[in-house]
């Protein structure tokens, strides 16, 4: 376990040392005022958290001491608590080395270097030694290139090693992403940012917190090149900078932001700051913006100062708080946003709040909100939310540039494929199961789990062999089954070994809420020994042996409730190691919650964190689930049968068979500051499984949204009365093209032209496309294909990419629509489509679908249909 060491006399003498000279010809890296401010910030942090001063040793150069102070002063609390000074020092030395050795090193302005090169943290990833391990390789790759050439080359290097795959919200470290060869956009952009910073190029992760025209969000990278910021798709190489698949979608964004490490003043609009990061509005780098302004008044019409105002983007059936402001003495709050609609909520309490919509446009948008009691708000409110209009990006890329880039990407894919070919197969998994002599149930689990370990398979296999040696092979597989898929890529094996050392019954080994080391999406540290000592400490002060489960659980919670709650130095709630939280008696709320659950499990109490209501629950002697009052959740706030959620839905005349959570609807409550908060039920949980849940609060609402094909949303906000039936109703626009289903654009098919497996997305590119599932020697399919010829333009091309999947398609059949891409459905696209859209059975052929690569279906036709070409043409004209 890493500890912050007590500061020696060397550091005490340096606390107010003015860092002047250095070995870099570019001037002082840390001017006196910067170091004075860092000294002050570090002293305040150490005093507030109650942790020892870090010991940097006595062999550091002036620049190294200054850089260490800078990092320790502004890093999040978990970073300096859970990592040693030596860890930071190794990475500091790489940053200084890159500044000296790379040709652009000293050209990088010092404020950009301190904010976007030196810091290790990009977002909420696990910190690691990627820079130390890969600096020489990356330096040698780009040392003779210009800055722009280096950025493009490094993005190809990233693509050679990783590609996109969706996953959970925990962000893997760069080394884990590299080993896994996969990452979601947040991990891809974290990885590429780390790659660029390793060689001294300022880089930052840019987010659209939520798209305005469709669900989901996206992250990419901006790199500072010769005085200007340029964007790139992370590990998605393009021929030039400022070119990516999201060129068009980003033009429809309402907000784009990034974060700078420490105190930072740039040209970008300031969105907010904490003790570690400065949030910046970079929207103007991409889209036209204007100030959206809210004026908040009381019932008498007088402006109210100090009111919290959130600017919210509709996404995933909730109003996501993208920007938070506080009203000035004129009652005003504003932010620069794109041209479209956003929802705004102002509030100080449930009795003083208001909600409305701003339509932002050239010249700005304004709204006046009058504070009132939520109890007096209408029972149902309806809003039409219009996103920014679709615009065509202006690109200057020749066909030759694109061809060269595509050839290079194919080479990258081949290199990555050779690596992933070493991952576990069904055959190697079966061989491992034989070696471990597993029971039939454990064997079946391993056949699913082991291939998911990907580049971490050797470590997982060695752990299983270790468990077999201890006579616990089946138990080890049961433990792996409690983890999330991403854990199989990077979990610390010592964490797993700790669990295997526990003496549990056969029944307890089958309880994931007792054996799993994971509580939320936190990083897993080997802490079991420290937790066992903590339980002993608590038990020694009490008649532990005579106490029941509820009394023991309460004792644990009350002990942790005495710890200091730190929301100042860890506002992103990156969970601190439970051992360190116990050691220093300090942590943010999530860290404290994780500690309590881990202590409960260490005490043999089955427990978990209930994400839906944000509470800790445990099982009593009868196996009944109980809420553990902890922190803000008092006994009066316990789940009550009096606040049961009752949802009703009728699909009469609607394409929507079963509304799903965070896709079609959400349930939320108005908190004590007058702001809406969404309950954390599982994503895409059917409404039938959400209905019946007990809600923690009584100021609840149900939100539904109907997304039209142009991105517009018809929003309904309905109060929910405890114990009373609440209808799920969806507003409609009969004149508009609506989203009627989903189709995963990442789905894989067998491509006939290339004799390989490809994704729909890689074939169609971003945007709308047509998918046809047909049959050979089948007149309805032949008819549809002929009818599609009406869409062919004078230049011989289709208005949208068309993909036809027909097993054993003959040359004669392909000749009916040669403009299409042809393939086979070998991976179950049709089966998944039927299941996801609740069609009940396999589709009548041919099936014709218009969808986009955000997985939205806006048109579907089955079987023999007349005039399909004209119908598709009309839909294309409307979307």
């Amino acid at each position: 376990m890493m500890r912050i060491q007590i500061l020696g006399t060397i550091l005490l003498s340096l606390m107010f040392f003015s860092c002047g000279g250095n070995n870099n010809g570019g001037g002082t890296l840390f001017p006196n005022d910067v170091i004075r401010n860092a000294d002050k910030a570090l002293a305040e942090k150490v005093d507030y958290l109650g942790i020892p001063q870090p010991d940097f040793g006595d062999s550091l150069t002036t620049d190294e001491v200054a850089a260490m102070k800078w990092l320790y002063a502004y890093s999040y609390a978990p970073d300096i608590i859970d990592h040693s000074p030596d860890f930071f020092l190794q990475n500091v030395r790489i940053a200084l080395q890159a500044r000296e050795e790379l040709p652009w090193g000293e050209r990088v302005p010092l404020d950009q270097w301190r904010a976007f090169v030196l810091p290790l943290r990009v977002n909420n990833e696990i910190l690691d030694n990627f820079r130390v391990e890969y600096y020489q390789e990356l330096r040698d790759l780009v040392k003779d290139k210009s800055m722009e050439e280096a950025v493009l080359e490094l993005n190809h290097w990233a693509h050679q090693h990783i590609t996109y795959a969706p996953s959970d919200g925990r962000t893997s470290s760069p080394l884990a992403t590299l080993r896994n060869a996969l990452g979601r956009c947040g991990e891809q952009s974290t990885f590429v940012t780390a790659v660029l910073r390793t060689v001294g190029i300022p880089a930052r992760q840019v987010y659209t917190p939520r798209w305005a025209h469709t669900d989901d969000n996206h992250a990419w990278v901006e790199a500072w090149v010769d005085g200007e910021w340029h964007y790139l798709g992370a590990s998605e190489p393009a021929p030039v900078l400022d070119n990516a698949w999201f060129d068009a979608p980003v033009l429809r964004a309402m907000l784009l932001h990034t974060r700078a490490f420490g105190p930072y003043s740039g040209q970008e609009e300031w969105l907010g700051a904490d003790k570690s990061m400065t949030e910046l509005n970079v929207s103007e780098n991409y889209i036209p913006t204007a100030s959206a302004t809210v004026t908040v008044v009381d019932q008498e019409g007088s402006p109210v100062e100090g009111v919290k105002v959130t600017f919210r983007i509709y996404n995933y059936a909730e109003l996501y708080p993208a920007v938070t402001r506080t009203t000035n003495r004129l009652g005003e709050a504003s932010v620069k946003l794109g041209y479209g609609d956003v929802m705004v909520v102002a509030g100080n309490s449930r009795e003083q709040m208001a909600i409305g919509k701003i339509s932002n446009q050239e010249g700005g948008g304004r709204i006046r909100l009058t504070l009132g009691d939520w109890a007096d708000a209408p029972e149902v409110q309806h809003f039409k939310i219009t996103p920014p209009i679709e615009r065509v990006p202006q690109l200057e890329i020749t066909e030759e540039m694109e061809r060269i880039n595509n050839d290079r990407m194919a080479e990258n894919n081949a290199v990555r494929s050779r690596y992933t070919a070493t991952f576990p197969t069904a055959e190697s998994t079966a061989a491992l199961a034989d070696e471990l002599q597993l029971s039939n149930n454990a064997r079946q689990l391993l056949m699913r789990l082991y291939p998911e370990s990907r580049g971490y398979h050797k470590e997982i296999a060695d752990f299983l062999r270790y468990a077999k040696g201890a006579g616990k092979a089946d138990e080890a597989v049961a433990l792996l089954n409690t983890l999330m898929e991403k854990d199989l890529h990077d979990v610390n094996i010592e964490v797993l070994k700790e669990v295997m050392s526990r003496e549990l019954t056969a029944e307890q080994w089958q309880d994931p809420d007792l054996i799993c080391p994971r509580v939320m999406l936190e990083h897993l540290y080997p802490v079991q020994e420290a937790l066992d000592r903590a339980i002993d400490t608590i038990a020694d002060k009490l008649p532990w042996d005579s106490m029941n489960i509820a009394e023991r659980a309460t004792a644990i919670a009350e002990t942790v409730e005495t710890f200091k709650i730190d929301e100042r130095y860890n506002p992103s709630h990156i969970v601190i190691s439970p051992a360190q939280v116990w050691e220093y008696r300090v942590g943010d709320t999530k860290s404290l919650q994780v500690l309590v659950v881990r202590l409960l499990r260490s005490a043999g109490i089955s427990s978990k964190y209930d994400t839906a209501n944000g509470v800790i629950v445990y099982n009593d002697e009868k196996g009944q689930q109980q809420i553990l009052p902890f922190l803000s959740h008092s006994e009066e706030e316990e789940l009550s049968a009096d606040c049961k959620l009752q949802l009703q839905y009728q699909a009469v005349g609607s394409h929507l068979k079963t509304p799903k959570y965070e896709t079609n609807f959400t349930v939320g409550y108005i908190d004590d500051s007058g702001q809406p908060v969404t309950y954390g039920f599982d994503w895409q949980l059917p409404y039938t499984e959400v209905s019946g849940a007990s809600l923690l609060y009584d100021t609840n609402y149900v939100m539904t949204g109907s997304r039209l094909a142009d991105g517009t949303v018809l929003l309904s906000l309905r109060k929910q009365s405890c114990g009373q039936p609440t209808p799920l109703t969806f507003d409609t626009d009969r004149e508009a093209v609506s989203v009627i289903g989903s189709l995963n654009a990442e789905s894989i098919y067998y491509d006939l032209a290339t004799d390989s497996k490809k994704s729909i997305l890689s074939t169609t590119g971003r945007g709308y496309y047509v998918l046809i599932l047909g049959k050979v020697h089948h007149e309805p399919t032949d008819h549809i294909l002929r009818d599609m010829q009406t869409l062919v333009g004078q230049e011989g091309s289709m208005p949208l990419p068309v993909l036809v999947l027909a097993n054993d398609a003959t040359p004669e059949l392909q000749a009916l629509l040669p403009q299409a891409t042809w393939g086979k459905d070998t991976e179950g696209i049709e089966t998944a489509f039927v299941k996801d859209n609740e069609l009940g059975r396999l589709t009548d052929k041919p099936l014709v679908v218009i969808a986009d690569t955000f997985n939205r279906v806006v048109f579907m036709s089955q079987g023999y249909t007349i005039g399909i070409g004209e119908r598709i043409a009309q839909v294309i004209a409307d979307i």
Side-chain angles (χ1 to χ4, degrees), residues 322-398:
V323 179
T324 300
R325 292 284 200 237
T326 302
T327 56
N328 58 22
R329 61 183 180 82
L330 300 177
E332 293 183 346
S334 65
V335 62
K336 290 182 179 179
L337 298 173
Y339 298 167
D341 295 346
V342 292
M343 299 296 294
V344 186
V345 181
N348 281 330
S349 67
R350 296 186 182 97
E351 293 74 32
Q352 293 290 310
M353 58 90 63
I355 184 170
K357 181 186 77 171
I358 289 184
S359 294
N360 208 35
Q361 55 193 328
E362 186 175 0
R366 301 189 69 91
I367 189 173
R368 180 183 174 97
L369 294 179
T370 301
L371 299 179
D373 196 321
W374 166 254
D376 298 330
E379 290 298 311
V380 184
Q381 299 181 63
H382 302 275
F383 299 93
K384 184 176 182 179
I385 305 171
T386 304
I389 61 172
E390 189 169 5
R391 289 181 292 144
V392 178
Q394 302 299 314
L395 303 176
E396 296 182 0
I397 299 174
T398 66

Side-chain angles (χ1 to χ4, degrees), residues 168-327:
D168 63 53
R170 179 171 71 86
T171 304
S172 296
S173 71
L175 284 175
T177 300
L178 183 69
R179 181 174 57 233
N180 186 41
L182 290 176
R184 58 178 171 79
C185 66
E187 287 163 327
Q188 288 177 296
S189 50
T190 294
F191 181 77
V192 172
T193 299
V195 168
L196 294 172
R197 289 182 180 181
T198 297
V199 294
I201 297 175
R204 58 195 190 186
Q205 183 185 55
V206 174
Y207 257 102
T208 172
R210 293 294 188 269
W211 291 117
H213 69 286
T214 188
D215 287 340
D216 212 349
N217 63 354
H218 192 53
W220 55 92
V221 175
E222 280 187 349
W224 187 93
V225 177
D226 297 326
E228 294 183 354
W229 288 99
H230 297 269
Y231 71 86
L232 59 149
S235 70
E236 298 169 335
V240 296
L241 297 176
D242 300 320
N243 174 220
W245 68 260
F246 52 85
D247 287 336
V250 78
L251 297 178
R252 306 192 69 186
M254 287 298 295
L255 175 71
L256 304 147
H257 66 158
T258 190
R259 294 191 299 177
F261 181 86
Y264 176 82
S265 298
Q267 297 180 345
E268 304 91 345
E269 181 187 29
W270 181 87
L271 289 177
D274 54 41
K275 294 291 185 179
S276 299
M277 300 285 180
T278 304
E279 188 174 2
L280 306 172
N281 187 347
V282 296
S283 301
E284 290 183 321
N285 291 357
Y286 301 84
I287 57 175
T289 65
S291 290
T293 303
V294 181
T295 301
V296 180
V297 299
D298 59 20
Q299 292 291 323
E300 286 70 41
S302 300
V304 185
E305 184 178 2
V307 178
K308 179 180 179 180
V309 176
T310 53
F311 295 81
R312 294 171 176 261
I313 298 173
Y314 175 90
N315 197 286
Y316 279 135
E318 71 166 353
L319 298 179
Y320 178 83
V323 179
T324 300
R325 292 284 200 237
T326 302
T327 56

